[in-house]
């Protein structure tokens, strides 16, 4: 116990810490930014009262909805780093004062109904990285000033009504990677100047009223991967030859652009996956140059292309869609297009050659079931003498996309014990296995995917998402934790999808921690998932946090979260004095090896004390399983109202507990004394309690073998040594007062550790105990029925021998598997009666298997001596330990000479009725079932918001 230090960290120390920064503004937001936010607020209408921004409070310090701050150590102020106002039904306009939030990195008004124009002052926010304004009703034109933002990487304005030209000044955005400006009313020429943008990857300007010509210079953009300009009017323009040479291009989509001329040589597009140049006036032949081998989609419909279908469409192993309909193509229908495709149940190939001049089939047409081929409107249909060809010539239904539904996997486990009403579901993990867990939902839309059929890419998508979503630093999700629940193709084509995330499978948790939910949500809201060639950029539509997550603070409310506008204003950046102030207990204390945790630490560790993390309950309060920020798993014992102690007592106790160290005692990791709560944090014992083990209710149980005699003896000896230490070596000595099978826990190596000692249970050195230093007189008896020393019960006189009595009961449980009191019968009387009539064998727990009868007899004798009524007749703890050591030695000698008897099966008489919970009804291994819910669920799901993805109709 050397080297323990108690550090009192008082207000004075705190003040001096705070004053170490040049200006001590503490938690105060930069006044200019406060004024700016108030101006922003006054320009917004918030009919659903989602914003709690009031003049009386400080934006950063009191966590205004959607205002995320950091502290700048240079000027000492808090600054707005992010405005995250996703889907809050806000109307009104964007105030010019937004420009005064110069520290802001992310400005997010996604999916509101903001109108008016974009203020040019946003161009003053030099720190701005993400400008996210999609899905509003913004009008007016784009101010030139936005073109000079030195840090802007994502410029996302799609689904608004912005008009006017794309400013040339945008060529000055050195870091921009994403122009997502589709579905607006932009007009005029695409400025060729944009070709100098060094990092631009996604150029999405589809569904606007752009005109002029397609600038050949765009091909010079070194990073361009998606060029999507569909539904504009470049009447008379050609597709520049240079577009066939954009080295990194993945997707070229120029549908319905009024384009003329011929298709350029596309052989330089080595990475192309998606080509759509349909609905133009393109003429000439389809060139037969090499095509990227991984291409999924070729759409050349509704042009005036002539010549024959080139042979190089055959052999594309990833092809999903080949639409050449409504052209002037003649010659043969090639019959080898699908030859290189390995079809699975998910793979399909759609071919549409309708309304051309195709007159014959090359070779034998043998169409696999996964291929659809449409030929109507071709001469081959009237000429056809082959019956199977006429089948392909049915009436045209165009290229309508049938909604694709995903089949839920068939589960082979039984869902009856999964409380589905609380939004728990069975999760398929490994083949034929599943577990019950609560999912967290996210609505996404792939804005510009490079595939036409998602199913073959489903695994790849799962991997892509789960390996990029961090739930903790350095910890991503497993693939099985993601389930794509539904997908729907929308105009664009864009792919709307609903994802369900499930917690990691562990033996005793079936919910995410709140911090994990927030981490997942932040990954999507912060757009930190790197780009994917195949899946392209995504829109975040909503979060669905129901059931156990209904109170989790999310970056947005869309479809989930708190009932009203709840966005945690997270204080980013340096740990500031604010946090210290909020959590300063009256006295903070540090002891070697024992940590002071904040209430938030505890909340995070236990997912907000969600009932599913509860692992026990006692008179003192509830016990939760938690995971600390460093990944250490702990048991958190949370005092309930009525069990709280005075500060002094609480700290005295912690200080005392911090000095109790023994391998057979559960050690204290830390404590929390904040917000009127008292909690003790202990090491977590993965093998649960002896009680659960014996009664067969242990669900954490990591081995299926029932407890054999050797293990039971080992547990008895371990527990006894722990108690002996409390009685004789702890300073001051401790009488446990509540020894029971529930308080004997087992670590991963089956070492017994005694828990729950020392809670206001010091051996008194008080006047109460005059004349008898080993006794405490108290008015109410503490302990658990069945384990309470009868003499203590009668006399109220507590001694170490009271612990010996309780331990004797535990030994009897170990030997018989009975409970201390069951169906009104007392274990001591039952065992005495059986042994007295020579029937000891009949009450030995048959789950123990073969056992050495001599050792069992000796242990039984010891157990009965410990549980004698008279204090003086019981052995001391030293004697108990010594006797157990003797039995162990004897057992080891017998084992080495092979002397182990077997209990004859027919002699086993179960003294307790079969319904008795004390014995259990089968081998322990049968109660191990990962599918059963681990904790009884009594969740109040609260204010649920439906998980329906709102429909946004892109034009
Ligand atoms: C603001 O948020 C921080 C971090 O989440 C938290 O510690 C603090 O208690 C909150 N303050 C208020 C007034 O809600
Ligand atoms: C703090 O503010 C100063 C002045 O505005 C700025 O130069 C500096 O970059 C800021 N620090 C951080 C960490 O943002
Ligand atoms: C937004 O408005 C819709 C329709 O009135 C409502 O259902 C939804 O709950 C609102 N969302 C928020 C966050 O207030
Ligand atoms: C605003 O709401 C957030 C999230 O619910 C909360 O943390 C914060 O304390 C509230 N602030 C004010 C000033 O009410």
């Amino acid at each position: 116990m050397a080297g323990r230090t108690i550090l009192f960290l008082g207000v004075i120390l705190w003040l001096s810490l705070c004053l170490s920064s040049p200006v001590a503004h503490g938690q105060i937001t930069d006044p200019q930014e406060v004024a700016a936010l108030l101006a922003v607020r006054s320009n917004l209408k918030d009919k659903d009262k989602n914003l709690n921004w009031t003049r009386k409070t400080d934006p950063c310090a009191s966590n205004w909805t959607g205002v995320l701050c950091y502290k700048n150590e240079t000027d000492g102020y808090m600054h707005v780093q992010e405005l995250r106002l996703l889907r809050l039904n806000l109307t009104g306009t964007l105030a010019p004062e937004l420009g005064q939030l110069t520290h802001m990195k992310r400005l997010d008004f996604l999916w509101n109904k903001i109108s008016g124009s974009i203020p040019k002052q946003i161009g003053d926010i030099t720190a701005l990285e993400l400008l996210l304004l999609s899905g509003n009703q913004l009008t007016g034109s784009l101010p030139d000033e936005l073109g000079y933002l030195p840090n802007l990487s994502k410029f996302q304005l799609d689904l608004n009504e912005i008009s006017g030209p794309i400013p040339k000044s945008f060529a000055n955005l050195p870091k921009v990677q994403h122009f997502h400006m589709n579905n607006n009313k932009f007009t005029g020429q695409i400025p060729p100047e944009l070709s100098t943008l060094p990092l631009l990857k996604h150029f999405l300007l589809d569904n606007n009223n752009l005109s002029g010509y397609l600038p050949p210079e765009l091909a010079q953009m070194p990073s361009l991967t998606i060029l999507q300009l569909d539904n504009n009017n470049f009447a008379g323009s050609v597709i520049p030859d240079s577009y066939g040479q954009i080295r990194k291009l993945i997707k070229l989509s120029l549908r319905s652009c009024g384009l003329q001329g011929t298709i350029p040589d596309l052989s330089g597009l080595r990475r192309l996956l998606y080509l759509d140049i349909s609905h133009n006036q393109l003429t000439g032949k389809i060139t037969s140059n090499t095509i990227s081998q991984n291409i999924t989609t070729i759409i050349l419909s509704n042009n005036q292309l002539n010549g024959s279908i080139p042979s190089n469409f055959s052999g594309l192993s990833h092809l999903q869609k080949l639409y050449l309909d409504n052209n002037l193509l003649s010659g043969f229908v090639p019959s080898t297009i699908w030859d290189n495709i390995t079809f699975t149940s998910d793979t399909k190939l759609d071919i549409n050659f309708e309304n051309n001049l195709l007159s014959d089939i090359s070779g034998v047409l043998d169409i696999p079931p996964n291929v659809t081929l449409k030929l109507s409107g071709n001469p081959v249909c009237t000429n056809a003498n082959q019956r199977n060809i006429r089948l392909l010539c049915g009436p045209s239904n165009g290229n309508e996309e049938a909604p694709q539904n995903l089949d839920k996997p068939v589960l082979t486990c039984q869902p009856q014990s999964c409380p589905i009403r609380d939004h728990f579901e069975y999760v398929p993990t490994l083949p034929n296995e599943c577990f019950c867990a609560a999912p967290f939902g996210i609505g996404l839309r792939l804005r510009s995917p490079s595939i036409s059929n998602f199913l073959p890419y489903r695994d790849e998508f799962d991997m892509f998402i789960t390996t990029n979503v961090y739930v903790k630093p350095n910890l991503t999700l497993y693939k099985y934790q993601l389930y794509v629940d539904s997908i729907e193709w929308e105009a664009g084509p864009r792919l709307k999808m609903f994802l369900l995330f499930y917690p990691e499978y562990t033996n005793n948790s079936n919910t995410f921690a709140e911090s994990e939910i927030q981490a997942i949500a932040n990954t999507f809201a912060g757009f930190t998932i790197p780009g994917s060639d195949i899946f392209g950029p995504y829109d975040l539509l909503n979060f669905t946090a129901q059931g156990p997550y209904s109170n989790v603070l999310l970056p947005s409310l869309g479809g989930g979260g708190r009932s009203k506008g709840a966005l945690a204003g997270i204080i980013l950046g340096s740990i500031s004095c604010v946090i210290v102030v909020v959590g300063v207990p009256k006295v903070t204390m540090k002891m070697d090896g024992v940590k002071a945790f904040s209430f938030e630490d505890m909340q995070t560790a236990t997912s907000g004390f969600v009932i599913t993390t509860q692992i026990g309950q006692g008179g003192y309060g509830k016990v939760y399983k938690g995971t600390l920020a460093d990944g250490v798993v702990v048991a958190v014992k949370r005092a309930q109202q009525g069990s709280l102690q005075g500060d002094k007592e609480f700290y005295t106790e912690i200080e005392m507990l911090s000095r109790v160290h023994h391998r057979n005692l559960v050690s204290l990791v830390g404590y929390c004394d904040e917000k009127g709560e008292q909690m003790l944090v202990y090491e977590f014992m993965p093998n649960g309690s002896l009680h659960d083990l014996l009664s067969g209710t242990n669900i954490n149980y990591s081995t299926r073998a029932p407890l054999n005699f050797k293990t039971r003896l080992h547990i008895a000896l371990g527990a006894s040594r722990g108690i002996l230490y409390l009685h004789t070596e702890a300073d001051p000595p401790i009488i446990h007062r509540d020894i029971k099978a529930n308080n004997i826990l087992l670590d991963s190596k089956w070492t017994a550790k005694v828990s729950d000692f020392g809670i206001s249970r010091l051996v008194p050195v008080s006047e109460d105990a005059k004349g008898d230093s080993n006794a405490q007189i108290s008015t109410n008896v503490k302990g658990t029925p069945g384990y309470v020393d009868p003499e203590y019960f009668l006399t109220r006189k507590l001694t170490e021998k009271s612990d010996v009595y309780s331990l004797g009961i535990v030994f009897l449980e170990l030997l018989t598997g009975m409970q201390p009191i069951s169906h009104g019968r007392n274990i001591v009387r039952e065992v005495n009666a059986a042994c007295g009539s020579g029937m000891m064998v009949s009450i030995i727990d048959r789950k123990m298997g073969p056992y050495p009868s001599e050792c069992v007899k000796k242990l039984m004798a010891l157990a009965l001596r410990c549980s004698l009524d008279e204090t003086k007749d019981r052995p001391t703890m030293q004697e108990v330990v010594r006797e157990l050591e003797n039995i162990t030695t004897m057992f080891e000698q017998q084992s080495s000479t092979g002397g182990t008897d077997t209990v004859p099966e027919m002699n086993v008489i179960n003294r307790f009725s079969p319904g008795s919970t004390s014995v259990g009804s089968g081998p322990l291994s049968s109660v191990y079932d990962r599918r059963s819910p681990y904790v009884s669920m009594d969740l109040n799901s609260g204010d649920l918001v439906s998980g329906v993805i709102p429909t946004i109709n892109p034009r």
Side-chain angles (χ1 to χ4, degrees):
M1 271 147 281
R4 67 178 205 263
T5 51
I6 300 171
L7 177 69
F8 289 92
L9 178 68
V11 173
I12 291 175
L13 179 49
W14 163 71
L15 272 179
S16 66
L17 280 175
C18 272
L19 288 167
S20 64
S21 61
V23 193
H25 301 297
Q27 68 273 41
I28 295 170
T29 309
D30 182 336
Q32 177 188 319
E33 296 182 24
V34 178
L37 285 170
L38 288 169
V40 169
R41 174 70 187 86
S42 68
N43 278 33
L44 291 171
K45 290 201 188 68
D46 174 25
K47 73 170 170 60
D48 289 333
K49 300 202 166 35
N50 284 318
L51 301 183
N52 61 10
W53 302 13
T54 63
R55 207 168 276 278
K56 290 183 219 96
T57 55
D58 184 84
C60 296
S62 60
N63 299 346
W64 282 8
T65 314
V67 179
L68 285 78
C69 304
Y70 84 105
K71 182 169 179 199
N72 186 310
E73 293 299 347
T74 312
D75 64 15
Y77 281 119
M78 304 291 292
H79 295 282
V80 177
Q81 190 163 52
E82 186 164 350
L83 268 189
R84 212 187 267 182
L85 300 169
L86 178 70
R87 203 180 282 285
L88 294 174
N89 290 340
L90 301 172
T91 55
T93 60
L94 299 178
E97 287 81 355
L98 278 168
Q100 292 166 22
L101 302 171
T102 51
H103 292 256
M104 184 158 55
K105 290 188 171 162
R106 297 176 184 172
L107 177 56
D108 170 355
F109 277 97
L110 293 170
W111 318 117
N112 285 286
K113 293 181 186 119
I114 311 282
S115 53
S117 56
I118 299 177
K120 63 171 195 256
Q121 288 82 352
I122 288 182
D124 298 338
I125 313 177
T126 48
L128 198 62
E129 293 169 8
L130 266 52
L131 178 57
L132 308 173
L133 301 172
S134 310
N136 282 286
Q137 294 161 6
L138 294 166
T139 54
S141 57
L142 286 182
D144 285 348
E145 286 79 354
L146 299 189
Y148 301 99
L149 289 166
N151 290 301
L152 193 68
S153 118
K154 206 173 177 71
F155 192 77
Q156 197 170 299
L157 308 172
D158 52 295
L159 292 155
N160 278 291
E161 291 163 32
I162 302 168
S163 54
I166 310 288
K168 287 191 178 62
S169 66
F170 279 28
N172 297 303
L173 296 166
K175 292 198 182 157
V176 79
Q177 296 188 28
H178 306 273
F179 273 149
H180 297 168
M181 301 193 252
N182 51 284
N183 297 78
N184 276 289
K185 293 178 173 171
F186 290 115
T187 53
Q189 171 70 41
I190 297 176
E193 289 82 355
L194 298 185
S195 63
T196 60
L197 290 170
L199 300 178
L200 192 70
K201 285 162 74 171
H202 297 161
F203 195 60
L204 272 54
L205 277 169
D206 52 289
N207 297 288
N208 279 293
N209 297 325
L210 294 166
S211 56
Y213 63 97
L214 291 183
E217 295 87 345
L218 293 187
Q220 296 163 13
M221 286 194 269
S223 308
L224 193 64
T225 59
I226 300 180
L227 181 58
Q228 182 163 5
L229 304 173
D230 315 312
N231 297 312
N232 280 291
N233 185 17
F234 306 106
S237 174
V238 297
I239 303 177
D241 283 345
S242 62
Y243 285 16
Q245 307 299 323
I246 308 178
R247 265 191 327 116
K248 292 191 176 167
L249 202 68
I250 300 289
K251 180 164 180 170
L252 180 62
S253 199
L254 304 172
R255 181 168 26 122
S256 200
C257 283
L259 300 170
Q260 296 182 358
T262 56
I263 303 176
D265 172 6
L266 302 178
S267 59
L269 304 180
R270 295 293 170 76
R271 299 182 63 203
L272 194 69
L273 297 181
Y274 193 107
L275 173 68
D276 185 350
I277 47 177
S278 63
H279 293 85
N280 286 296
Q281 288 101 50
L282 299 170
T283 53
K285 294 184 168 48
I286 302 173
T287 49
S288 56
N289 292 302
T290 38
I291 275 190
S292 149
Q293 282 301 297
N294 291 327
I295 199 159
T296 68
T297 306
I298 300 172
I299 305 177
L300 309 178
S301 320
N302 295 77
N303 280 294
Q304 288 136 40
L305 301 168
N306 56 29
S308 57
I309 297 174
S311 60
N312 61 348
F313 288 159
S314 298
L316 300 172
S317 56
H318 292 82
L319 198 62
Q320 299 182 329
K321 191 176 271 190
L322 176 60
Y323 286 178
L324 306 179
D325 55 292
N326 295 289
N327 277 294
L328 304 167
L329 300 168
S330 55
F332 294 101
V333 174
S335 58
T336 53
I337 290 173
W338 44 84
D339 278 5
N340 260 8
I341 302 179
T342 314
F343 289 105
T344 69
S345 57
D346 286 340
T347 326
K348 63 180 179 129
L349 172 61
D350 268 344
I351 303 175
N352 192 339
F353 292 158
E354 286 173 352
N355 303 318
N356 276 293
L357 304 169
L358 301 166
S359 55
D360 212 341
I361 310 277
S362 74
V364 180
L365 201 56
D366 181 12
I367 302 177
N370 308 52
V371 175
T372 337
L373 173 59
K374 293 178 182 169
L375 290 178
S376 77
N378 278 290
V380 70
C381 287
T382 42
N383 303 348
N385 43 19
Q386 283 173 272
R387 202 165 54 89
N388 62 351
I389 291 175
R390 284 200 299 272
L391 290 175
L392 308 172
C393 293
S396 171
N397 56 0
N399 289 330
E400 288 301 307
E401 200 61 58
Q404 235 177 333
N405 292 314
L406 299 182
D407 295 328
K408 283 249 180 191
V410 179
L411 299 181
T412 49
C413 49
Q414 299 302 310
Q416 69 267 21
S417 50
C418 193
I420 286 159
R421 73 185 162 82
D422 292 324
H423 302 276
F424 282 76
E425 292 182 6
Y426 266 81
V427 187
T429 53
L430 308 164
N432 303 326
E433 286 196 42
C434 45
F435 71 105
C436 180
F440 171 57
I442 297 186
L444 278 195
R445 181 167 46 208
L446 303 186
R447 189 191 282 276
S448 186
S450 292
I451 48 174
S452 294
N453 176 17
F454 176 70
L455 289 183
Y457 292 89
R458 194 171 173 170
D459 274 353
E460 198 168 336
F461 181 79
D462 291 354
M463 281 305 286
F464 165 63
I465 295 290
T466 52
T467 54
N468 283 300
V469 171
Y470 286 82
V471 283
K472 290 197 180 84
N474 306 320
L475 189 61
T476 58
L477 297 166
Y478 289 102
K479 184 165 163 287
Y480 73 78
Q481 293 184 257
L482 171 62
Y483 182 70
V484 180
D485 191 57
S486 64
I487 59 170
E488 187 186 337
W489 285 97
E490 295 181 336
R494 311 191 201 281
L495 184 60
K496 191 165 81 175
M497 52 208 322
F498 189 62
L499 313 183
L500 293 174
F501 289 89
Y502 292 91
E504 183 179 344
Y505 170 72
T506 59
N507 272 354
N508 39 18
S509 172
N510 44 16
T511 53
F512 278 114
E514 179 160 348
S515 62
E516 293 174 326
I517 296 274
Q518 284 164 342
I520 295 172
N522 281 331
T523 311
F524 286 93
F527 293 91
T528 57
I529 299 179
S532 148
D533 287 351
I534 292 172
F535 307 112
Y538 68 86
D539 284 336
L540 173 60
L541 301 180
N542 60 30
F543 296 115
T544 302
Q546 299 182 333
Y549 312 129
S550 48
N551 283 323
V552 174
L553 286 170
L554 289 174
S556 141
L557 290 182
R562 295 233 160 126
S563 55
K564 276 292 161 201
L567 163 59
I570 300 162
I571 306 231
L572 301 173
S574 59
I575 297 207
S576 66
C577 295
V578 193
I579 291 166
V580 179
V581 175
V582 171
V584 158
K586 297 114 270 181
V587 175
T588 303
M589 174 180 216
K590 279 185 186 163
M591 282 153 292
D592 276 356
V594 177
K595 237 188 119 188
F597 292 102
S598 69
F599 184 74
E600 282 73 23
D601 290 338
M602 297 290 91
Q603 254 183 330
T604 307
T606 61
S607 314
F609 303 102
V610 63
I611 189 151
T612 46
T613 63
Q614 193 184 321
I615 49 174
Q617 175 150 29
Y620 173 83
K622 289 178 178 160
V623 187
Y624 299 84
K625 180 182 176 185
T627 307
L628 299 178
D630 58 5
V632 172
V633 182
V634 291
V636 178
K637 193 170 263 202
R638 184 187 195 189
Q640 65 201 10
Q641 289 304 318
S643 298
L644 294 176
Q645 309 173 47
D647 269 355
K648 185 158 167 283
E649 292 76 15
F650 186 63
Y651 283 105
T652 310
E653 204 162 277
I654 291 162
E655 203 266 341
M656 181 274 294
L657 290 176
S658 74
R659 287 182 283 123
V660 175
H661 296 290
H662 188 270
R663 74 185 297 263
N664 296 113
L665 298 174
V666 175
S667 38
L668 186 72
V669 175
Y671 66 94
C672 168
D673 179 28
E674 269 190 29
K675 307 207 170 158
E677 299 256 5
Q678 288 174 345
M679 290 176 238
L680 294 172
V681 182
Y682 291 98
E683 59 178 324
F684 180 74
M685 294 287 119
N687 278 314
S689 77
L690 179 60
H691 170 84
D692 291 347
L693 214 53
L694 290 174
S695 64
T697 54
N698 185 319
I699 44 77
N700 306 330
Y701 185 33
S702 61
T703 156
R704 287 160 193 251
L707 285 184
N708 59 19
F709 177 75
K710 185 180 173 194
T711 311
R712 294 180 198 225
L713 182 61
H714 182 64
I715 292 171
L717 181 57
S720 304
R721 283 176 172 156
I723 296 163
L724 176 62
Y725 174 92
L726 288 178
H727 288 181
T728 59
E729 284 176 66
D731 174 23
I734 297 169
I735 296 178
H736 192 296
R737 288 210 300 189
D738 199 12
I739 289 167
K740 54 183 172 181
N742 272 317
N743 280 337
I744 294 172
L745 308 182
L746 298 151
D747 74 3
S748 57
K749 293 178 183 136
W750 300 92
T751 303
K753 299 201 181 212
V754 178
S755 76
D756 211 12
F757 51 87
I759 312 293
S760 316
R761 285 172 191 162
L762 307 184
V763 174
V765 194
S766 66
E767 293 99 65
D768 290 339
K770 280 182 202 103
D772 182 355
S773 68
N774 283 338
Q776 178 182 17
I777 315 275
S778 70
T779 42
N780 52 354
V781 173
K782 298 234 171 94
T784 304
Y787 293 96
V788 180
D789 167 9
E791 192 157 327
Y792 164 55
F793 187 80
L794 292 172
T795 63
R796 304 286 191 267
K797 217 165 87 184
L798 185 71
T799 67
E800 284 97 340
K801 293 273 184 85
S802 304
D803 281 351
V804 173
Y805 180 90
S806 309
L807 189 60
I809 306 299
V810 173
F811 293 166
L812 291 177
E813 287 184 79
L814 270 172
L815 285 166
T816 65
M818 298 175 194
Q819 289 196 336
I821 298 176
S822 179
H823 295 218
R825 286 183 284 195
N826 172 285
I827 193 169
V828 182
R829 289 184 50 195
E830 291 292 316
V831 173
N832 271 314
C835 294
S837 55
M839 295 277 289
M840 187 190 87
V841 164
S842 70
I843 48 148
I844 299 299
D845 187 356
R846 62 181 159 158
K847 285 180 294 192
M848 202 188 315
Y851 58 83
S853 50
E854 273 312 301
C855 295
V856 165
K857 269 186 215 155
K858 278 189 169 295
L859 182 55
M860 184 66 88
L862 177 65
L864 289 173
R865 270 210 296 145
C866 290
S867 45
L868 287 170
D869 282 355
E870 301 274 335
T871 304
K872 61 177 184 355
D873 298 335
R874 294 176 212 147
T876 63
M877 270 322 295
Q878 281 94 337
E879 288 169 319
V880 172
V881 170
R882 205 176 307 130
E883 178 65 4
L884 287 169
E885 284 167 349
N886 289 340
I887 299 173
T888 304
T889 310
M890 182 178 169
F891 174 76
E892 278 161 4
Q893 283 165 355
Q894 285 197 358
S895 310
S896 61
T897 60
T900 299
D901 313 347
T902 303
V903 193
E905 264 314 301
M906 54 286 246
N907 283 357
V908 175
I909 300 162
N910 188 346
R911 305 272 300 195
F912 284 82
S913 58
S916 155
T917 54
S918 61
V919 177
S921 52
L924 264 179
S925 54
S926 72
V927 301
Y928 177 74
D929 182 354
R930 32 157 59 178
R931 288 162 292 176
S932 53
Y934 309 119
V935 211
S936 67
M937 307 295 167
D938 182 21
L939 292 167
N940 175 4
S941 50
D943 175 10
L944 296 179
V945 187
S946 87
V948 176
I949 302 172
T951 312
I952 292 132
N953 294 317
R955 273 161 282 149

